[in-house]
Amino acid sequence: MASDLGIVRERVASARSLVVLTGAGISADSGVPTFRGSDGLWRNFRAEDLATPEAFERDARLVWEWYNWRRELIAPKKPNPAHTAVVEFERRCRQFWLITQNVDGLHRAAGSEQLSEIHGNIWKVRCTACGVVEENYDVPIRILPSCRHCQALLRPHIVWFGESLSAGDVACCGTALQSCDVLLVIGTSGVVYPAAGFASVAKEAGAFVAEINPDPTPQSGIVDISLKGRAKDVVPLLL
Ligand code: OAD
């Protein structure tokens, strides 16, 4: 009888349209802390003090200091074999889309091109007045940073709690999830919506859904196969 790993590998190899959804777990193997794991950021910091529009209005300096700390932490990190395997899926599958909740930029650094960074990117800033979005790799960024076009305050280009995904990302992810025949869900706790609902959307549209995670998640019960293990060990085996 074929192993679960063999079944998923076969499904990926024969997929006409493959979608990959990733969360902090895929970058854990690069040394980036997750949010809800034992070393998770939300175990040591309060999201409502640092990752909401209200927190930024209250104390922009504190929020920027926290993002500077995270920029310093992420800057030296490199993509791991799981990120590289995802790039290879993109090269091999005619229709491919990567949906990541990660803001660390490691998928792009690995070479992924067909992707939606639905929670934004820590290496981008957005003007609070004119809305222009620009790349910024300063470590640390000058606090408080201002827009070079209109001098207003810049904020991290991140989707904070209480904010919505961009309309473009919603449309793009919806189309990808509705039309894929295989969805791989890698390294997400599956508690933050809308991404937490993506496995159900794909499943209801008829896709084969597999999860790669060392721990069970709320989605484990609805996916076709759960592969237990670390992303860097399991994902390359699916090529
Ligand atoms: P979480 O920290 O909630 O979950 C990380 C998941 O990765 C858990 O299910 C772990 O079991 C799993 N994991 C840990 N190590 C792993 C490894 N080596 N390989 C594979 N999986 C591993 O992170 P997310 O689900 O990404 O929002 O969190 C979702 C959102 O909540 C984040 O995007 C962030 C946060 O608030 C924003 O930044 C806007």
Side-chain angles (χ1 to χ4, degrees):
M1 208 169 80
S3 66
D4 281 355
L5 185 76
I7 294 169
V8 180
R9 191 196 287 131
E10 178 55 38
R11 289 285 189 153
V12 169
S14 59
R16 279 172 293 112
S17 172
L18 172 65
V19 174
V20 174
L21 167 65
T22 65
I26 195 169
S27 293
D29 289 327
S30 295
V32 179
T34 65
F35 292 92
R36 297 172 184 82
S38 52
D39 66 339
L41 296 177
W42 297 149
R43 291 190 181 246
N44 299 307
F45 300 96
R46 282 160 41 96
E48 50 277 48
D49 292 342
L50 299 164
T52 63
E54 293 77 19
F56 192 69
E57 256 172 52
R58 209 164 40 232
D59 194 343
R61 184 173 292 274
L62 175 73
V63 172
W64 265 120
E65 277 166 3
W66 189 64
Y67 276 97
N68 257 344
W69 174 75
R70 287 183 60 200
R71 280 177 168 232
E72 271 166 31
L73 199 148
I74 292 168
K77 306 297 191 233
K78 302 273 180 270
N80 66 58
H83 294 103
T84 310
V86 173
V87 178
E88 197 53 36
F89 293 147
E90 178 176 337
R91 293 201 178 119
R92 292 186 188 184
C93 193
R94 204 178 309 152
Q95 266 195 57
F96 175 88
W97 202 253
L98 167 63
I99 304 171
T100 187
Q101 298 167 88
N102 298 346
V103 302
D104 55 33
L106 289 180
H107 281 299
R108 282 187 195 277
S112 286
E113 290 175 357
Q114 307 284 311
L115 80 166
S116 301
E117 293 174 314
I118 59 171
H119 290 167
N121 187 308
I122 198 163
W123 304 112
K124 290 182 180 171
V125 292
R126 184 165 86 239
C127 179
T128 54
C130 70
V132 71
V133 175
E134 289 186 339
E135 291 190 346
N136 178 308
Y137 293 93
D138 295 349
V139 181
I141 202 167
R142 190 174 54 81
I143 292 177
L144 294 162
S146 56
C147 176
R148 64 194 177 93
H149 307 286
C150 73
Q151 279 71 54
L153 178 64
L154 293 173
R155 58 165 278 175
H157 186 50
I158 303 273
V159 177
W160 284 325
F161 288 102
E163 296 184 319
S164 304
L165 305 195
S166 81
D169 281 346
V170 171
C172 188
C173 295
T175 307
L177 292 162
Q178 294 284 345
S179 59
C180 69
D181 42 28
V182 176
L183 169 67
L184 298 179
V185 181
I186 307 171
T188 176
S189 58
V191 296
V192 175
Y193 283 84
F198 288 176
S200 306
V201 172
K203 189 92 194 86
E204 277 159 28
F208 172 88
V209 182
E211 171 184 68
I212 295 103
N213 198 310
D215 296 320
T217 73
Q219 276 74 52
S220 301
I222 66 140
V223 303
D224 294 285
I225 289 180
S226 285
L227 297 175
K228 300 269 173 257
R230 295 168 67 156
K232 78 164 176 38
D233 299 328
V234 179
V235 183
L237 298 178
L238 299 177
L239 285 168

